[in-house]
Amino acid sequence: KSCDGIVEFKDVTFRYEGAEKPVLEGISFTAKPGETTAVIGSTGAGKSTLLQMIPRFYDVESGSILIDGVNIQNMKQSTLRNKIGYVPQKAMLFSGTIAENMRYGKEEATDEEIHDALETAQASEFVQKREQGIQSILEQAGANLSGGQKQRLSIARALVRKPQIYLFDDSFSALDYKTDSKLRYALKTETSNATIIIVAQRVNTVKDAEKIIVLNEGKIAGVGTHEELLNNNTIYQEIVSS
Ligand code: DGT
């Protein structure tokens, strides 16, 4: 099938323009549909960069990135963007209603689709508390929202589009552990066959993932489940105990 959403990195190296050292070096892994692949590592390890290579914000220096066996460099940009729901580290909300913000990327979304997405993103409750519900106005950049509320709206917006591949860049960092866990569980249930790639700094966010990749100074320092890495990966052990 051509529409599965298998993401494959093959020996990917990338360096920012003018930089002496590559920020990613020899990265190989596969992220599969129906699974969560998490990338954990300290600040500056290259996690955001790795994620941003998938929608081609940057192109590889060597190696390749494939989606369902096709090199993303040979894909039409619109085809690639349609497959991907990218949730950036900083939520990009604009002045307008919540509904308008949710329809950014899928203008024809129905109110029901918006409500479903908000539900999955654990955002229904605080949206419904507002008198106007999804018709409530967000101030510029969501100034009248908490960091965690912004993250949840940003996640809901991606859900409205129903992409095959979700990319979350530290999108759970402002949530308390319980909401973080609940949201990821709902996400998994509601998007059963999607490919989910999560970048995070804290263990709580990655521990349920089918595959955890430990990124250290631009290189893969280990791959496994939470239990496996706890047993055999010193860098992961350090992150857990820090
Ligand atoms: P985080 O977000 O603090 O958890 O860190 P990571 O792991 O997401 O790291 P990342 O990919 O943001 O940055 C990795 C390295 O690349 C770090 O040394 C900063 C550098 N870097 C990031 N963005 C740029 C850029 O636009 N230009 C240049 N020259 N370097 C960048």
Side-chain angles (χ1 to χ4, degrees):
K1 278 192 301 181
S2 62
C3 56
D4 286 344
I6 302 168
V7 179
E8 197 177 357
F9 274 60
K10 282 188 170 171
D11 204 14
V12 169
T13 292
F14 170 72
R15 141 187 11 236
Y16 282 106
E17 219 175 284
E20 225 171 272
K21 253 183 63 180
V23 46
L24 295 173
E25 222 177 324
I27 303 292
S28 298
F29 71 91
T30 304
K32 293 181 188 151
E35 290 190 0
T36 299
T37 301
V39 183
I40 195 167
S42 52
T43 174
K47 304 183 297 297
S48 299
T49 307
L50 183 153
L51 210 59
Q52 289 171 353
M53 302 212 60
I54 304 170
R56 286 189 67 195
F57 295 168
Y58 305 106
D59 277 332
V60 300
E61 175 177 302
S62 62
S64 52
I65 302 170
L66 313 177
I67 294 180
D68 298 324
V70 179
N71 191 322
I72 58 172
Q73 301 205 26
N74 299 329
M75 256 179 219
K76 266 172 71 178
Q77 193 69 7
S78 57
T79 308
L80 181 63
R81 293 284 163 95
N82 276 333
K83 291 177 190 289
I84 294 173
Y86 168 68
V87 182
Q89 215 169 76
K90 283 228 155 33
M92 313 261 253
L93 301 167
F94 52 84
S95 335
T97 65
I98 291 178
E100 284 163 355
N101 269 275
M102 294 301 105
R103 287 196 174 95
Y104 181 79
K106 191 183 176 190
E107 275 179 42
E108 69 278 17
T110 63
D111 281 6
E112 196 187 344
E113 287 174 310
I114 291 173
H115 284 296
D116 287 349
L118 290 169
E119 188 75 37
T120 304
Q122 310 299 305
S124 274
E125 218 181 291
F126 74 81
V127 169
Q128 292 313 327
K129 267 191 192 146
R130 292 173 180 243
E131 224 163 278
Q132 314 285 325
I134 61 171
Q135 297 309 330
S136 326
I137 305 276
L138 294 184
E139 285 161 24
Q140 188 98 43
N144 50 345
L145 294 169
S146 75
Q149 289 174 334
K150 279 188 246 180
Q151 284 190 332
R152 281 176 278 172
L153 289 182
S154 185
I155 291 166
R157 172 192 279 162
L159 281 159
V160 167
R161 291 180 52 232
K162 301 189 177 70
Q164 290 164 358
I165 301 164
Y166 287 91
L167 308 176
F168 295 107
D169 191 351
D170 236 341
S171 312
F172 310 90
S173 58
L175 305 176
D176 60 74
Y177 280 24
K178 209 173 127 197
T179 309
D180 176 2
S181 296
K182 261 175 88 174
L183 200 166
R184 281 181 296 97
Y185 181 79
L187 194 67
K188 200 71 194 286
T189 318
E190 294 304 314
T191 63
S192 54
N193 274 315
T195 304
I196 300 176
I197 306 181
I198 292 180
V199 156
Q201 278 197 50
R202 69 186 195 201
V203 173
N204 184 67
T205 306
V206 306
K207 67 181 191 321
D208 308 315
E210 277 81 7
K211 184 187 282 177
I212 303 170
I213 295 168
V214 182
L215 197 65
N216 188 47
E217 293 178 9
K219 293 184 188 137
I220 294 185
V223 182
T225 61
H226 176 70
E227 279 71 29
E228 288 164 356
L229 292 168
L230 265 186
N231 277 325
N232 65 24
N233 191 280
T234 48
I235 294 174
Y236 193 74
Q237 289 161 355
E238 275 169 32
I239 297 170
V240 170
S241 58
S242 66

